[in-house]
Amino acid sequence: MRFVYHPQAGAPILSLEDKTYTHVYLSRRTKATEQLALRNLKDSNLYFYKPLSVQKHSAKLELVRVQAKPVSPTQTTHLIWAVINTKNIEKVLPYLNQMGVAKISFFMAQFSQRNEQLDTSKLERLERIIIASCEQSGRSNLMHLEVLKDLTSALELYPQAGVLDLGGHAQGLEPQKGVIIGPEGGFSQSERKLFKDREVFSPSNLVLTSEGAALFAAALNFKA
């Protein structure tokens, strides 16, 4: 079911302002008398609100009922993804969210572009993209994002994660334990030496882009 995200969904009285107001009443052309379904993406509830007043730039809503309705994927894929061009991450992120990826851990690989550091403002933009994808798809839980220092940190934190790289074998990858994916230029030779005690997997003899590898890993046990 389509809903509107609001961080305070569940409060007795809410105000819709700014971009949320524009989205609801201008973009979606919601009637001023129509009830709205809201989620906070922290619990599994749908919160239904009736409008008390709809002004030119804001609306005041009152909670009328609550419905427990989780709409979450059953898989728990965890991508451990080397930082690539942020625009490329943004393009594929909604699809990863729709496919039920539970978590993405970004790390700086040796071939990652150093000017693509994921600072607070970029992470906030990625979260907004995920929220918009949840509103579109109906997903009720928010994908978790984290930023790690480097590959060594990722390997230490996730000791059971497998590696997606050319030259590995084709079967047995367990996305719920973590899938380590390199940047556009792949892994360096020194990074590959760190994988000597890891399971290394290859989808085929084709060379995938970094975002293509992320989609491949997400699709392995995709269940809506």
Side-chain angles (χ1 to χ4, degrees):
M1 179 177 183
R2 290 188 67 180
F3 60 87
V4 177
Y5 167 75
H6 196 296
Q8 279 82 52
I13 302 293
L14 282 183
S15 293
L16 295 187
E17 300 174 337
D18 304 324
K19 291 182 179 180
T20 304
Y21 173 88
T22 300
H23 173 66
V24 171
Y25 289 104
L26 300 183
S27 299
R28 286 174 51 172
R29 300 183 182 277
T30 303
K31 295 180 180 179
T33 57
E34 186 177 336
Q35 284 194 6
L36 296 175
L38 274 64
R39 285 192 189 273
N40 55 34
L41 297 179
K42 298 172 185 174
D43 57 40
S44 298
N45 294 333
L46 271 173
Y47 297 94
F48 292 88
Y49 284 82
K50 69 176 182 180
L52 294 177
S53 63
V54 178
Q55 306 299 326
K56 190 173 182 180
H57 298 292
S58 66
K60 189 174 183 180
L61 310 177
E62 181 181 27
L63 181 67
V64 292
R65 65 186 177 97
V66 180
Q67 180 183 0
K69 191 172 183 179
V71 184
S72 303
T74 56
Q75 62 132 314
T76 55
T77 294
H78 176 201
L79 302 182
I80 305 168
W81 194 2
V83 172
I84 62 173
N85 185 286
T86 309
K87 295 298 182 183
N88 291 344
I89 295 174
E90 292 176 0
K91 288 177 183 177
V92 76
L93 194 60
Y95 305 113
L96 297 175
N97 183 68
Q98 292 168 25
M99 296 171 74
V101 171
K103 181 177 181 180
I104 302 179
S105 301
F106 293 103
F107 68 93
M108 293 299 294
Q110 290 186 17
F111 292 159
S112 290
Q113 299 176 32
R114 296 296 148 178
N115 62 341
E116 290 293 342
Q117 295 281 349
L118 291 179
D119 56 21
T120 300
S121 63
K122 288 183 179 179
L123 286 173
E124 288 176 349
R125 176 171 171 79
L126 294 182
E127 184 171 280
R128 290 195 296 271
I129 291 172
I130 294 171
I131 289 170
S133 175
C134 286
E135 289 181 326
Q136 181 275 323
S137 65
R139 177 172 171 171
S140 62
N141 64 333
L142 200 60
M143 180 197 299
H144 180 62
L145 302 179
E146 72 173 349
V147 178
L148 306 176
K149 180 181 178 182
D150 51 25
L151 177 59
T152 300
S153 301
L155 293 172
E156 291 175 352
L157 192 58
Y158 301 106
Q160 294 185 305
V163 182
L164 199 61
D165 194 22
L166 289 175
H169 52 88
Q171 297 180 342
L173 187 64
E174 299 180 76
Q176 71 275 11
K177 293 183 179 180
V179 182
I180 300 173
I181 300 168
E184 288 100 335
F187 295 107
S188 68
Q189 290 305 312
S190 61
E191 287 175 325
R192 286 192 170 97
K193 290 179 181 178
L194 299 175
F195 301 150
K196 64 180 186 298
D197 297 323
R198 295 272 171 160
E199 291 278 7
V200 180
F201 303 88
S202 178
S204 69
N205 59 355
L206 299 177
V207 179
L208 297 179
T209 62
S210 182
E211 56 268 41
L215 286 167
F216 171 83
L220 284 178
N221 65 341
F222 172 51
K223 296 177 182 179

